[in-house]
Amino acid sequence: MCKTPTLVIRYGTILDPESGAERRADLLIRNGKIHRIADSIPSNSKHVYDASNLMISPGWMDMHVHLREPGYEYKETIETGCRAAAFGGFTAVACMPNTNPPIHTSDVVEFVIERARDFPVEVYPIACVSKGREGRQLAEMGQLADAGAVAFSDDGAPVQSSGLMRRALEYASMVERPVINHMEDLTLGPKGHMHEGAVSARLGVPPVPALSEEVMVARDLLIAEYTGGHLHVAHITMAKSVDMIRQAKARGINVTAETCPHHFVLTDEAVETTAFSTNVKMHPPLRTRADVAAIKEGLKDGTIDAICTDHAPHAAHEKEVEFVAAPDGIIGLETAWGLIGKHLIASGVLTVAEAVRCLTVAPRRILGLPAKSIQEGEEANLTVFDVSSHWTFGSQHIRSKSRNTPFVGAEMVGRAHAIYNRGRFVKNAP
């Protein structure tokens, strides 16, 4: 992709997500850096972008995606995943290690970084907690961190051993990285396919009990308190989990948390209303209306720090099977902002600045990455977006290699219009 050496972005509203301050100004970008910010910048450059009625923030980051490469390129590649991220307004993603081979050695970390080097979306690998994601022996955390891993997780394979989790938090602390755990005690519901409750009972689907998440959250919070390590709770779904994290933060435990749009938009009732569509089969599963309300409250009061997508591409032949046989997960990069706009901003759960903070400041702080800001002399890392346009998400908007989403035909509010990063300006087609 060609670089854009000189670009003027005119008439946009620059948003500082930390303070919430807004300023209408023009931006002049030269050779990848913000050269000037002023009320009006005349230019003869052929690269001028009209950002009237649009906002500009530091580039967004999704700290929980699955790019599938290496090993599962038929579902997604780093290139196609970055293409989907750019459409969704993201200038950076952190990718989970359940690849083949897993990201459990430094050479795989380096492979991922190198494959993404020339894309306008930065890719930060999250390495395994345990070798092979098998939950028996710690991976070489020091070597993985030196190679560029920003966190450790066996995502999708919860760390079942309390002893291993303790050692993981202790060793990760030495290299100043968080441990991200998928909160599920598999012994409490090893073969479940949806949330345990009235809907699963009515449909006769083997369930995943709420207790499986809650027990693991409670255990890990105790271990984090004991070790002082940084625990990050992946894709939280349960009201009790939110409350436990709220209390843990009040006690000073080093814990952060994330949630996903599908967990504050959909409930377990979707399995019934969609007649067992495999595109509403998630891991963790969709929960109840009360849990959705608690997730929103956790975002509102800051208990939940970040919003991510858990972008999980699967090929059509894998999803086009009966519900219990299908793999879990959906793609989410292309729909994230439209769902945030409709279900959080338009409804008053979050302000625009608070929502953007969940996509910018929070994920970078959690992963120990430098904050991005819009100031003269800084590298230009930007997302251009709006918060009020109403549009319908269609299959033509999918940039991922896979197409497994329940949101085709759904109304969105707000959309990402462009990103600028690594000297490249990427515009989205209307």
Side-chain angles (χ1 to χ4, degrees):
M1 182 178 294
C2 295
K3 291 195 174 185
T4 310
T6 302
L7 173 68
V8 176
I9 302 178
R10 284 185 170 153
Y11 314 127
T13 298
I14 299 171
L15 171 68
D16 177 1
E18 281 272 34
S19 66
E22 297 180 8
R23 175 191 177 186
R24 216 291 311 157
D26 292 357
L27 288 172
L28 171 60
I29 300 170
R30 284 184 178 164
N31 298 318
K33 288 193 174 183
I34 300 173
H35 184 74
R36 188 181 174 202
I37 304 174
D39 291 340
S40 180
I41 300 176
S43 175
N44 295 322
S45 172
K46 66 178 180 179
H47 298 292
V48 177
Y49 184 77
D50 185 348
S52 300
N53 302 316
L54 302 180
M55 303 190 81
I56 306 165
S57 76
W60 302 344
M61 181 177 195
D62 187 340
M63 65 172 292
H64 189 144
V65 305
H66 300 269
L67 297 182
R68 304 305 190 197
E69 187 178 2
Y72 303 108
E73 289 85 354
Y74 69 96
K75 299 172 187 267
E76 191 80 284
T77 65
I78 292 171
E79 181 176 7
T80 59
C82 287
R83 186 172 65 201
F87 181 87
F90 297 95
T91 63
V93 298
C95 60
M96 285 295 176
N98 41 347
T99 52
N100 186 24
I103 307 178
H104 65 165
T105 56
S106 57
D107 60 322
V108 186
V109 173
E110 292 164 354
F111 166 81
V112 172
I113 293 172
E114 182 60 32
R115 285 283 291 119
R117 193 173 301 281
D118 294 329
F119 301 143
V121 176
E122 299 160 16
V123 176
Y124 295 91
I126 294 172
C128 297
V129 168
S130 65
K131 293 182 178 179
R133 297 174 58 245
E134 296 174 351
R136 292 196 292 266
Q137 185 178 359
L138 278 184
E140 299 291 343
M141 289 184 164
Q143 293 179 13
L144 291 164
D146 288 343
V150 295
F152 301 102
S153 179
D154 281 352
D155 185 61
V159 179
Q160 295 294 299
S161 166
S162 298
L164 185 69
M165 191 63 183
R166 172 188 172 176
R167 293 193 297 277
L169 283 165
E170 290 171 339
Y171 276 88
S173 294
M174 297 179 189
V175 293
E176 300 181 323
R177 301 291 195 276
V179 175
I180 304 171
N181 199 16
H182 177 117
M183 296 299 177
E184 184 178 8
D185 184 333
L186 295 177
T187 66
L188 291 170
K191 296 181 180 179
H193 299 280
M194 67 174 294
H195 173 73
E196 182 178 68
V199 180
S200 67
R202 186 161 61 246
L203 299 179
V205 176
V208 177
L211 188 64
S212 64
E213 175 176 301
E214 296 159 353
V215 164
M216 190 67 91
V217 170
R219 183 205 74 170
D220 282 1
L221 288 172
L222 289 171
I223 298 173
E225 184 174 33
Y226 182 80
T227 62
H230 180 181
L231 170 69
H232 181 74
V233 178
H235 40 47
I236 188 173
T237 67
M238 294 302 307
K240 284 186 180 179
S241 300
V242 175
D243 192 50
M244 283 188 283
I245 293 167
R246 183 180 290 117
Q247 294 179 44
K249 286 188 170 187
R251 297 204 310 272
I253 296 175
N254 190 6
V255 59
T256 51
E258 67 186 34
T259 195
C260 309
H262 48 271
H263 284 129
F264 59 71
V265 173
L266 301 173
T267 71
D268 59 341
E269 296 169 23
V271 178
E272 187 169 29
T273 59
T274 64
F276 296 97
S277 169
T278 58
N279 285 332
V280 296
K281 187 183 181 189
M282 320 292 186
H283 191 209
L286 300 175
R287 304 294 190 177
T288 68
R289 295 186 183 188
D291 294 309
V292 167
I295 294 295
K296 290 180 178 179
E297 185 60 33
L299 285 164
K300 188 177 183 68
D301 68 15
T303 299
I304 300 173
D305 304 85
I307 298 173
C308 63
T309 67
D310 194 12
H311 178 80
H314 293 292
H317 72 270
E318 295 174 310
K319 278 288 194 178
E320 292 172 357
V321 294
E322 62 181 292
F323 190 83
V324 297
D328 302 293
I330 61 170
I331 59 173
L333 286 163
E334 298 98 323
T335 55
W337 184 249
L339 294 172
I340 290 169
K342 180 176 181 180
H343 295 273
L344 297 181
I345 298 173
S347 62
V349 176
L350 297 179
T351 66
V352 177
E354 288 168 341
V356 172
R357 196 178 306 143
C358 290
L359 299 173
T360 53
V361 177
R364 289 184 170 276
R365 185 174 290 160
I366 290 165
L367 297 175
L369 298 171
K372 300 297 180 181
S373 62
I374 303 177
Q375 298 181 34
E376 292 180 357
E378 294 289 327
E379 294 288 335
N381 188 315
L382 311 169
T383 299
V384 182
F385 63 100
D386 78 70
V387 297
S388 59
S389 63
H390 289 248
W391 58 291
T392 300
F393 182 75
S395 58
Q396 74 274 18
H397 297 120
I398 295 174
R399 300 296 187 270
S400 171
K401 195 170 186 178
S402 295
R403 310 179 75 77
N404 50 307
T405 173
F407 295 116
V408 170
E411 183 190 41
M412 304 283 162
V413 178
R415 67 187 306 166
H417 291 258
I419 64 167
Y420 188 101
N421 190 32
R422 289 178 165 174
R424 295 167 175 83
F425 187 54
V426 182
K427 295 184 291 184
N428 290 331

